[in-house]
Amino acid sequence: MLAVTDAAAQAIGALTSQNGQQEAEGGLRFSLQSNDDAGAQLALAVTKQPEQGDQVVTTDSGANVYLERGAAEFLDDKVLDIQRNNDGEVAFALAPQGV
């Protein structure tokens, strides 16, 4: 199952509250756009609730990540974290678990 770092959970909480959603109601949703030899293309969106069939990952801090079925399979052995660029902007990043 996808693991979520504390830093990523804080970023998700900040995103959901920016969109006027209460943290407990909103989350970050991954869906699989394509999966081929070049790799997977994922779509990322802030949403109020999971869609039917989504896998829900809830962190200890209450941040929610919703995974469409194909995305859940692809992200099963990954860790969701954040990275900051030189300007301090935050981006989500995926890494293999256990590395």
Side-chain angles (χ1 to χ4, degrees):
M1 179 179 289
L2 176 70
V4 181
T5 66
D6 290 340
Q10 289 176 355
I12 293 166
L15 278 174
T16 56
S17 64
Q18 281 179 2
N19 285 344
Q21 301 169 18
Q22 292 182 349
E23 194 169 326
E25 294 179 8
L28 195 63
R29 184 172 191 270
F30 283 92
S31 58
L32 188 64
Q33 299 300 299
S34 67
N35 191 8
D36 55 31
D37 293 340
Q41 296 291 321
L42 296 168
L44 188 62
V46 176
T47 184
K48 290 184 180 184
Q49 61 191 24
E51 293 188 14
Q52 186 171 350
D54 281 358
Q55 183 181 95
V56 178
V57 177
T58 303
T59 68
D60 291 341
S61 65
N64 295 311
V65 179
Y66 310 131
L67 305 170
E68 176 264 336
R69 181 176 298 175
E73 291 173 13
F74 177 75
L75 297 171
D76 187 51
D77 61 348
K78 306 286 189 293
V79 176
L80 178 64
D81 199 359
I82 61 168
Q83 293 180 335
R84 294 187 188 273
N85 66 15
N86 293 338
D87 296 328
E89 296 172 336
V90 175
F92 289 101
L94 293 167
Q97 288 184 19
V99 174

